[in-house]
Each structure stands twice: as structure tokens, then as C-alpha cells.
Amino acid sequence: MSDHYDPDHTLTSLLPSFEHAGPRLLTLTILWHPELERVGEQAFARPGATEVALNRFGPLFGRPGGTPLGLGDRRLARDPVMLLRGAADEVTVVTPQSRMSIALDGAMLTGATTLGAGVIERGVVLSLGGAVLLCLHWSDHLPRVNHSSTLLGVSGAVLRLHESIRQAAGTAVPVLLLGETGTGKEVVAHAIHGASERRQQPMVAVNMATLSESLAAADLFGAARGAYTGAERVRRGWFDEAGNGTLFLDEVGNTPASVQPMLLRVLETGAYRPLGATADLTTGARIIAATDQDLAAGFNQALLHRLEGFVIRMPPLRARREDIGLLIRHMVTQWQLAGQAPAVLPTALVEALCRYDWPGNVRQLGMVVRRALIAAAAGQAPAFETLLPEADADPGVTARLPLAARPAGRRLRLSELDHEAVLEALEHNDWRVGAAALALGVSRPSMYKLIDDHPAIRAAAAIPLDELRRVVAQHGDDIRCCARALKTPGEALRRHLRGVGLLG
């Protein structure tokens, strides 16, 4: 193949920055590269393209306003890895005839492997030559410049988050941030405040889980002298300190029940009464609340409805896998800027970090990366299993989202996989046995054994003919939808439908 390989037949060099209204774009994002400044660059498949050729020369990766370049590293073969997109959004990865090592979510590839649309939805980590890591995923947004130094990412989830921040900052209504622990809810709260007209006013952050039942009202609303034992002077509350700025109520689900009606009154009228006072005060503070809890039960529902003036759902890190490399690079850069000893993270470790599901999200990732840098600076070789022993010890973690959560090089034992994990793997892989086996880290024969032992999965031949006719009448020749409706592997279903004359 010529060194002048032309990528324009397969991927865009870099598309303009605007909303994409058509089908989802197949996207490659650089998770790790010997030239760290290239981490986060992207290439997008052209709409309608069914083939993508990936080698050291193409496609061209870049950022908005930057100069698009091929991956370039000489450890990458000239012969391309082919990505073939099917009609049902499945993607077949075809390896070239070369000595370059190719791994897909930690499993070495030597031939063609088909990935269901659901697998790509979660983000697939592709390792090339042991040097370059890419994330294969879908995009519904074309690239935009991200000017934030705190909310890093190139994913559609982060771009939508920035848009939500912009919209929320332009209003005065309460904001409720919903998301798992470690997703950056306080960072978003500060971003909303910083982009609003209140940015010159104070922002006061309160962790509601730290308030005691007896003193919560005084903490929030203040207290007059003598209002309670030990109140020897007038006490300012958090609302008074916030003034006309922003009051951030973190972990609002832990608000003591006794003060929830008081908060509701403030949100409805702007008025509150300090403990022991004889007159009301008013506040101009804007409320931003955050929780990782389900507030549907055990929480004052009228207060919840008031807090839901503008709701922002924080994406978990596993839903933005394409951002993990960029976050790791930022953490390495911060380490260096702090004057710490030089440290280099092994590519194999970064690969495992990018594949993990991170129940603690960005906060947990940051702690693990710091531990890895400390070990590397001390001349040790940081290993995923050492840094995150709980990932190997807890079968629920490794099986929860199979492709992403399986530690590097680890094949799961069948005893570690419950019925839910098996069914989830099939559902997320469009009921393709081979892809589900790859996701779970088991062999194909073992996957068939798991299917045979599953009480909810049926053999195609055992499904009544009338039920087959009804499902085929509803979904036609879409085997993926038929298999999902019937809860049976797609390949065997296709053969059976042909055998009974229901499929041409």
C-alpha cells in the first residue's frame, strides 16, 4: 500500500462543527497515543459509509480548528484493519495479514469479529500494535471546541452537558443535578454559577449529609441569640452567606426531614425565619441541589417538584468511554505541573483503565491514576489488578457490563456469571452468540452451555409455530428484533425460520 493512502473514501478528515441530524456516525476517538497531545482527537465515518480502513496513514484524526493527521506510529501496519458496518448497525472487524498485534477489549484478534450495535454503544477499546488505543463508538454530535478546563471530554454526553449548563445559567430557576457518585455534580454547579449573572456574588456549598437533625435549621437559616443552648450570639445561616449568589445543596437526599418543609417555603416565597427570630428574612439566592439518590420515596415530594425547575442528568463515566483517555492525560499533566517525579503509565494499564466501568466514576479514576503515577515514579510497574483489586474480587463488578468491566487478560469462570449477566450480554449484542461470548470473556462452547442452562432463553426449535408466525409478521426479516422478542439466539433462529418456511 502506498504511503499516500487516501482516507477520504472511508472517513471524514474532520467534519464541521454542527448538529448531526442523520443516522449515528461511527466514530474513532484516540484514547492513548505515544504523542500524548493527540489523545482525544477523533475521526468520523462519512454518513452512509459501509467500510472504514484503519492504518498508520488513515483515517485523519483531529480536533475542530486543528490539522488532521493519520495515526502515524510505525508500529501500526500499512495494511488496514477493516471496519465493515452492516444494515443493522453491527460492525465486523477484519484483521489484516500483518504481524501487528490487535486487541478488542483485551482479547487478541486473529480474524474477523462482529460487534453488535449495543456493544459499540458502550464503547469498544481497540489496541493497535501495543502503542495506540482507540475507542470505537457511535456519535450523534459532530465535534465542537471545549473551552472548559474542568469539564473535559469530546463525547456527545459532555457536549450535551455543556449545553445544559449554558441553558441553566441563563435562568434563575432551581437546578437539580442527578447522577452517580463521582460524576462531577459540584463541578457542574460551579460551572452554572460561573456562567450566570450571579458569578460576582458568593457561591456557598453545603453537604446536607453532614447536617445534624438538631442544628440543621440553624445551619441553613441562622439563629437568634439564645435560640438554643450555647447560642451566645447571632448566628448567620448558609442562606444569609449566599446573599444574592448561589447556594449549592449537595447530597440533598440526606436533608433532615425537619427542615425539608422550611426549604420548600424558601423556594416558594423567598422567605425564611432564623431559629428563635421574631421576623422573616428574604433571600435572593439561587438554589442548585445534587443527589445520587432516587428521591421518589422518603423525600418531601412538593420540595422535589420545586427543586426540579431545571434537571441535569450527569452521565456516568461508562457512558462516555471515549473521554477516559483524555481524563487520564489531564491527570498525568496535572501530576507533572505539580512538580512530581517523572512517571510514565504503561499502555497496557491505560487500556485496562479505559475498559473498566468505574462505579466511582471520575473521582475513582483520579485516585487510581494518582496511585499508578506514584508507583511508576518509584520505579514500580503499576498493574490494574494491584490498583483495583476489588474489580477482580467482586464478580458482580466484572460481569455488570461485560465488555468494559473485564480486567485485562482475565477470562471469567462460568460460576461467576449469573443469569442476569448472560441475558444482558445477549441483549446488548443483538442476540449474537459469538459477540456475547467475547463480551463476557468466555469461549463460544461455554456460551452455549450458559444459554442451555438459562431458564429464560429458549431454543428456536422449541418455540410454538404460531408464536413464530406472529413475531415474524410483526418484525419481518429483522432477525435481531425477532430474536429479542423471542429470547433466542439469532443465528439458530434464522436457520429455524428458513427450515419452517417463514424466512426466505
Side-chain angles (χ1 to χ4, degrees):
M1 180 174 291
S2 166
D3 285 8
H4 300 289
Y5 169 72
D6 180 6
D8 288 341
H9 295 298
T10 54
L11 283 101
T12 62
S13 54
L14 197 65
L15 295 177
S17 176
F18 57 85
E19 292 286 336
H20 176 67
R24 296 180 299 180
L25 296 175
L26 188 63
T27 307
L28 290 164
T29 298
I30 299 178
L31 293 172
W32 209 243
H33 193 281
E35 302 172 35
L36 286 185
E37 64 272 13
R38 303 208 53 190
V39 172
E41 293 182 4
Q42 295 181 304
F44 297 81
R46 291 185 179 279
T50 58
E51 293 187 1
V52 172
L54 173 64
N55 68 359
R56 75 172 71 158
F57 307 113
L60 302 183
F61 290 77
R63 294 188 179 88
T67 301
L69 295 170
L71 291 171
D73 193 275
R74 292 191 172 274
R75 283 165 287 191
L76 275 57
R78 296 168 180 265
D79 291 335
V81 177
M82 298 301 299
L83 308 177
L84 310 178
R85 182 173 182 174
D89 279 348
E90 75 278 12
V91 174
T92 299
V93 182
V94 182
T95 58
Q97 297 296 319
S98 72
R99 292 179 294 177
M100 178 179 66
S101 63
I102 303 171
L104 202 63
D105 276 332
M108 298 303 295
L109 297 186
T110 56
T113 298
T114 299
L115 305 170
V119 175
I120 300 169
E121 188 77 45
R122 296 198 306 273
V124 177
V125 178
L126 181 62
S127 173
L128 301 178
V132 174
L133 302 177
L134 304 174
C135 185
L136 178 66
H137 60 99
W138 302 116
S139 289
D140 55 7
H141 285 70
L142 291 173
R144 299 175 187 164
V145 177
N146 182 352
H147 294 291
S148 174
S149 60
T150 54
L151 291 167
L152 303 177
V154 295
S155 64
V158 167
L159 295 178
R160 288 188 290 272
L161 184 58
H162 280 286
E163 179 62 19
S164 295
I165 290 169
R166 185 190 67 79
Q167 293 173 353
T171 75
V173 300
V175 177
L176 180 60
L177 305 175
L178 301 175
E180 299 174 6
T181 180
T183 49
K185 295 185 287 295
E186 185 165 359
V187 173
V188 170
H190 279 278
I192 294 171
H193 175 76
S196 73
E197 293 181 352
R198 303 168 185 264
R199 56 184 169 271
Q200 301 301 326
Q201 301 296 322
M203 176 172 174
V204 177
V206 183
N207 188 322
M208 303 300 281
T210 65
L211 302 184
S212 68
E213 185 80 32
S214 59
L215 292 177
D219 289 333
L220 286 166
F221 308 114
R225 181 180 178 183
Y228 56 88
T229 302
E232 298 178 356
R233 61 179 183 274
V234 173
R235 179 176 179 178
R236 294 181 69 193
W238 297 119
F239 272 96
D240 186 31
E241 288 194 21
N244 292 319
T246 299
L247 182 60
F248 174 52
L249 306 179
D250 197 9
E251 299 191 42
V252 72
N254 295 106
T255 302
S258 61
V259 300
Q260 290 183 26
M262 302 177 192
L263 279 175
L264 174 61
R265 181 171 181 254
V266 175
L267 287 170
E268 288 180 332
T269 67
Y272 66 94
R273 180 167 296 190
L275 200 65
T278 58
D280 285 349
L281 300 178
T282 59
T283 179
R286 193 255 186 95
I287 302 296
I288 301 178
T291 184
D292 60 1
Q293 301 178 26
D294 181 359
L295 301 182
F299 191 83
N300 186 310
Q301 294 303 289
L303 174 57
L304 174 59
H305 298 326
R306 284 289 182 178
L307 292 174
E308 291 176 325
F310 194 105
V311 177
I312 298 178
R313 299 184 185 277
M314 301 292 297
L317 194 51
R318 62 181 173 273
R320 42 182 289 229
R321 199 172 305 279
E322 59 268 37
D323 293 331
I324 294 179
L326 199 60
L327 291 169
I328 295 173
R329 189 194 75 174
H330 174 72
M331 294 164 186
V332 172
T333 301
Q334 293 300 108
W335 168 274
Q336 294 170 342
L337 291 176
Q340 304 287 355
V344 177
L345 298 181
T347 302
L349 172 62
V350 175
E351 179 186 6
L353 297 177
C354 289
R355 287 167 36 216
Y356 188 54
D357 263 358
W358 299 109
N361 292 290
V362 180
R363 182 186 297 119
Q364 185 188 22
L365 172 66
M367 292 187 295
V368 170
V369 169
R370 281 192 291 275
R371 290 203 298 266
L373 289 168
I374 291 170
Q380 303 169 8
F384 180 86
E385 294 79 5
T386 303
L387 296 167
L388 266 165
E390 62 270 26
D392 192 57
D394 179 6
V397 172
T398 55
R400 189 179 302 119
L401 285 178
L403 258 177
R406 181 162 41 88
R410 183 172 185 265
R411 183 176 289 276
L412 296 178
R413 296 187 295 272
L414 298 192
S415 60
E416 294 179 326
L417 295 169
D418 57 19
H419 290 320
E420 183 181 352
V422 173
L423 191 61
E424 184 182 1
L426 286 164
E427 288 282 1
H428 282 294
N429 290 281
D430 299 326
W431 287 85
R432 299 171 183 272
V433 174
L438 176 66
L440 287 172
V442 301
S443 67
R444 195 180 183 99
S446 294
M447 189 68 199
Y448 279 116
K449 184 179 188 308
L450 291 167
I451 289 171
D452 291 341
D453 292 341
H454 201 292
I457 300 174
R458 301 186 288 177
I463 300 173
L465 192 57
D466 287 346
E467 186 178 355
L468 290 174
R469 289 197 183 101
R470 185 173 65 253
V471 171
V472 171
Q474 181 180 357
H475 298 291
D477 60 356
D478 190 335
I479 296 298
R480 177 182 58 174
C481 291
C482 291
R484 183 178 295 113
L486 295 166
K487 283 188 166 44
T488 188
E491 299 94 327
L493 177 62
R494 186 189 300 275
R495 291 193 298 269
H496 184 62
L497 291 177
R498 285 174 176 165
V500 298
L502 294 178
L503 188 67

